[in-house]
Amino acid sequence: MSLKAEVSNLKLKEGDTDLKESLISVQVQDEIEDSTSAASAGGALLETSTDSELIPESVQTTESESEGKSESEARPAKKLKEVERPRPIDKSRPFEFHELFFSVTDPKSAITFSNNVFTRLSGYPAEVLSGQLHKLIRHPDMPRAVFKVFWDFLKAGKPVAAYVKNMSADGSYYWVMALAMPCNGGYLSVRLKPGSELFQKVRRLYSKTLELEKKEEKSTNARKAMEKAENFLFDSLKEEGYESYESFMWTALQEEMYHREEKITSSGHVDQIHQLNIPVRQKKLQILLGELFEQLEKLEKLHDVLMDQAEHMLELARSILLLSLNAQISSAKLDQTDQSLNVAAENMGSQSIDGEKKLMEIQQLVTYLNQLLRKLSFNIIASKLQVEMINLFMHDSSETSESDGIEHQRSSPFQLKDEEVVEMLLDAVSPHLNLVAESLSELPENLRKLKNGVNGIENFLDVLRFIHIIGKVEIARMNDQESSFSNTFQELVLEVNNAQEKLDELTEFLLMNEQMSQQLAAHDYELRSIIQWMEQ
């Protein structure tokens, strides 16, 4: 049975004939509407949206939009201003590292679904949360600039991650690392508890950013103050070595996932994946992503080695080209009756041009591999987080269904039903899984190309060594050890030796990772078979 069939039967137990026929009818109608409806415009901030001035006009609710809707669809049980807002207190809300929670919003950032962990942490009943903007749980300690970054990514149709401090109904707080992304009909945000060393740095950075933001608001308008705070945030991240916010957020997400795994392991919280009431292939998918996650440390090491090699390749190409030019200049000053060094200089020049081309090709391949590794690492992390969340929710939903039956669906205050949420979650993770598969298939081939390129560079270095020997012999014959020509050849052999040392390191590292490359290829095959099953 395909995953879509499993989802369709998530709430349909034997004997629920009327409910089954009703849901089938709704499913057919949804498919007709989906094939003719246009995609919703605009974007929404999942994790505590900011003031209305940050929301694009295309996604702000108007009276005319609400007139055609029923009262329950047009607004939540209580408007935001009708909900009693607490005063913040310096008390953290209990939140365990093994817990995950998520929420789904419509394009206007109104909550259409949240799981039980979110409801518990927020402190609000599900009836209050349903239809409310995420601004309901916004904590005043959060800089508005962070939410602007969220909006910019989501409006561009890109996933985004950030540390966010939320406020519960009693005024207590809880920090999350949020991964948000567009999904069918709105946006999805999955959250985990942060605790890495990087998180502590970010808390201090947020405090400084908020201080600047409030200071600027006294002398200018809120939008300009927010923009200045955003620039301060970006500049501060660059000072910490992050080339962009995107680079920072993927590093942060990875650090928090590592930290979470360590905490879960040390606390003795055993993985109960095999006991979950979910399809077998869903279990296999979670296990597979866990195995890929364990390979991330090796992938990061490979990334670091390649980054170092890329920088060295550029320096080597420039140095050898400069040395060949110096050799040709020096040869022009020699007695033209003795052409041996002239020939050596010309050979060095022609070889340096060919060598520079090879080095630049290697440098471009290394740069591409670095980008591929970054993309692969992020999509493994994003997929693992989402699949784990999906499996936990499917299990909880199935367990609730078996205990509460149809009444569970009828009593839910949220607009979306469990099976609709599962389909939405699966649709959201699908692009990440496909990108993981694509990267896994590309990586071994590109590593093979890199290995062949390294062999080509080693042949080039052998030619330079031969040129050096010829030059050294001719210089000794001429008894001209003090000439600039002699110095050029001495520098050449130093560059060649340094290059060989670097190439040896890279070759050894590539050999060490051949087994990993084979394992990734096997994971790629298994992952593609699961994706095919999911899409049936």
Side-chain angles (χ1 to χ4, degrees):
M1 182 181 293
S2 69
L3 181 56
K4 288 186 178 179
E6 296 273 6
V7 173
S8 297
N9 290 328
L10 187 62
K11 295 299 178 185
L12 306 181
K13 303 300 177 182
E14 187 176 354
D16 296 342
T17 307
D18 293 339
L19 178 60
K20 182 178 292 187
E21 291 177 352
S22 174
L23 287 179
I24 291 174
S25 175
V26 171
Q27 182 179 0
V28 172
Q29 182 64 30
D30 286 346
E31 289 174 357
I32 295 174
E33 293 175 356
D34 288 346
S35 65
T36 57
S37 63
S40 299
L45 179 62
L46 292 182
E47 191 62 55
T48 65
S49 62
T50 60
D51 296 343
S52 60
E53 68 173 11
L54 290 181
I55 305 176
E57 293 181 1
S58 60
V59 298
Q60 291 189 33
T61 306
T62 63
E63 290 184 15
S64 61
E65 288 176 323
S66 300
E67 287 176 358
K69 299 179 180 180
S70 68
E71 185 175 349
S72 62
E73 292 175 322
R75 61 180 176 84
K78 286 187 178 182
K79 293 180 179 179
L80 188 61
K81 64 182 179 181
E82 295 174 346
V83 180
E84 184 177 354
R85 306 302 297 278
R87 291 179 178 271
I89 59 176
D90 189 19
K91 179 182 178 182
S92 63
R93 194 84 167 172
F95 182 22
E96 301 300 326
F97 283 104
H98 70 270
E99 293 183 302
L100 295 173
F101 69 92
F102 74 97
S103 61
V104 181
T105 72
D106 66 13
K108 301 174 182 64
S109 195
I111 299 171
T112 55
F113 196 90
S114 66
N115 69 336
N116 293 334
V117 178
F118 177 87
T119 303
R120 188 197 83 221
L121 287 172
S122 73
Y124 294 99
E127 291 77 12
V128 175
L129 290 175
S130 180
Q132 288 289 358
L133 297 177
H134 260 283
K135 188 177 180 180
L136 176 68
I137 56 173
R138 179 186 176 188
H139 199 288
D141 286 352
M142 279 298 297
R144 284 157 39 90
V146 175
F147 297 130
K148 182 180 182 301
V149 175
F150 244 68
W151 274 109
D152 290 343
F153 274 83
L154 291 177
K155 285 189 293 181
K158 295 162 54 176
V160 60
Y163 292 102
V164 180
K165 185 178 185 180
N166 291 328
M167 183 165 64
S168 300
D170 63 355
S172 60
Y173 67 88
Y174 59 98
W175 279 94
V176 300
M177 163 54 71
L179 172 63
M181 66 206 72
C183 65
N184 290 340
Y187 294 89
L188 164 70
S189 180
V190 181
R191 278 87 105 199
L192 64 148
K193 181 176 181 177
S196 70
E197 292 182 6
L198 181 57
F199 169 53
Q200 305 305 326
K201 293 182 180 179
V202 171
R203 293 179 67 169
R204 293 191 291 270
L205 176 57
Y206 276 16
S207 179
K208 293 178 181 177
T209 304
L210 180 64
E211 183 180 355
L212 173 66
E213 200 170 73
K214 289 184 175 181
K215 179 181 177 182
E216 290 295 327
E217 285 177 355
K218 295 178 181 178
S219 58
T220 185
N221 61 49
R223 182 176 292 277
K224 289 183 178 180
M226 181 176 56
E227 290 173 351
K228 287 187 177 181
E230 181 186 26
N231 290 333
F232 171 78
L233 178 66
F234 290 163
D235 291 341
S236 299
L237 292 176
K238 285 182 179 179
E239 289 177 4
E240 291 293 326
Y242 302 102
E243 60 185 21
S244 64
Y245 181 83
E246 191 166 14
S247 173
F248 157 75
M249 70 183 188
W250 299 145
T251 300
L253 183 59
Q254 184 167 330
E255 288 296 317
E256 295 307 333
M257 287 289 284
Y258 281 145
H259 183 265
R260 178 174 181 267
E261 293 293 319
E262 291 174 1
K263 284 292 184 179
I264 290 175
T265 301
S266 63
S267 66
H269 188 84
V270 182
D271 187 4
Q272 303 291 334
I273 178 63
H274 295 291
Q275 300 178 20
L276 295 182
N277 188 12
I278 57 175
V280 174
R281 293 199 188 185
Q282 280 291 108
K283 297 178 183 180
K284 289 183 177 180
L285 178 58
Q286 183 171 332
I287 293 170
L288 173 60
L289 290 170
E291 292 172 353
L292 287 171
F293 182 77
E294 291 176 358
Q295 297 276 13
L296 284 183
E297 189 172 349
K298 292 182 180 179
L299 291 174
E300 282 296 307
K301 177 63 176 176
L302 178 58
H303 174 269
D304 293 342
V305 170
L306 292 179
M307 284 289 288
D308 179 62
Q309 290 291 333
E311 184 177 346
H312 183 75
M313 292 298 174
L314 282 175
E315 293 176 357
L316 179 61
R318 293 167 184 156
S319 297
I320 291 179
L321 183 60
L322 180 61
L323 287 172
S324 69
L325 290 174
N326 289 338
Q328 292 177 69
I329 292 172
S330 297
S331 68
K333 299 176 182 179
L334 296 175
D335 185 354
Q336 296 302 308
T337 59
D338 193 340
Q339 295 294 315
S340 299
L341 287 176
N342 288 334
V343 172
E346 289 175 3
N347 286 336
M348 184 176 174
S350 62
Q351 288 297 324
S352 68
I353 294 173
D354 183 56
E356 182 188 27
K357 181 181 178 181
K358 291 180 180 179
L359 286 167
M360 293 304 294
E361 288 174 352
I362 290 291
Q363 194 271 338
Q364 291 171 2
L365 179 57
V366 166
T367 300
Y368 178 76
L369 270 167
N370 283 331
Q371 295 170 350
L372 184 64
L373 288 168
R374 273 296 181 192
K375 183 172 70 172
L376 175 59
S377 296
F378 161 67
N379 284 300
I380 288 174
I381 292 170
S383 298
K384 174 177 165 49
L385 181 60
Q386 291 178 82
V387 167
E388 187 174 341
M389 182 72 262
I390 292 169
N391 288 349
L392 286 172
F393 178 70
M394 288 181 70
H395 172 76
D396 292 342
S397 180
S398 178
E399 292 292 302
T400 303
S401 175
E402 291 178 358
S403 60
D404 296 345
I406 302 175
E407 290 303 316
H408 165 70
Q409 289 285 35
R410 291 177 177 169
S411 63
S412 174
F414 293 110
Q415 297 175 25
L416 297 174
K417 302 306 179 185
D418 286 8
E419 63 269 22
E420 295 174 320
V421 174
V422 172
E423 288 187 14
M424 190 175 288
L425 293 173
L426 291 171
D427 286 340
V429 75
S430 181
H432 297 294
L433 290 174
N434 280 298
L435 287 172
V436 170
E438 289 175 12
S439 299
L440 287 176
S441 64
E442 281 190 62
L443 188 58
E445 175 62 18
N446 280 281
L447 288 175
R448 185 188 63 79
K449 288 180 180 179
L450 179 58
K451 187 177 179 181
N452 292 339
V454 168
N455 292 335
I457 297 299
E458 288 184 334
N459 293 335
F460 164 62
L461 295 180
D462 287 339
V463 173
L464 291 182
R465 289 191 186 94
F466 182 69
I467 292 174
H468 167 258
I469 291 172
I470 292 176
K472 187 176 180 180
V473 170
E474 290 302 316
I475 290 171
R477 182 178 62 79
M478 295 171 60
N479 196 23
D480 191 21
Q481 300 293 331
E482 302 300 324
S483 69
S484 58
F485 219 144
S486 176
N487 293 334
T488 297
F489 277 104
Q490 287 177 1
E491 291 178 27
L492 173 63
V493 75
L494 289 175
E495 286 292 344
V496 169
N497 290 338
N498 289 336
Q500 187 64 60
E501 184 178 342
K502 285 290 184 180
L503 286 177
D504 288 344
E505 291 177 5
L506 180 56
T507 300
E508 182 181 358
F509 195 76
L510 290 175
L511 289 173
M512 289 171 57
N513 283 275
E514 279 188 354
Q515 184 179 2
M516 180 188 71
S517 182
Q518 294 171 359
Q519 291 173 345
L520 292 179
H523 287 325
D524 176 38
Y525 177 80
E526 187 177 357
L527 179 59
R528 287 180 185 276
S529 67
I530 295 176
I531 292 174
Q532 185 178 9
W533 167 75
M534 291 175 64
E535 294 177 347
Q536 288 177 349

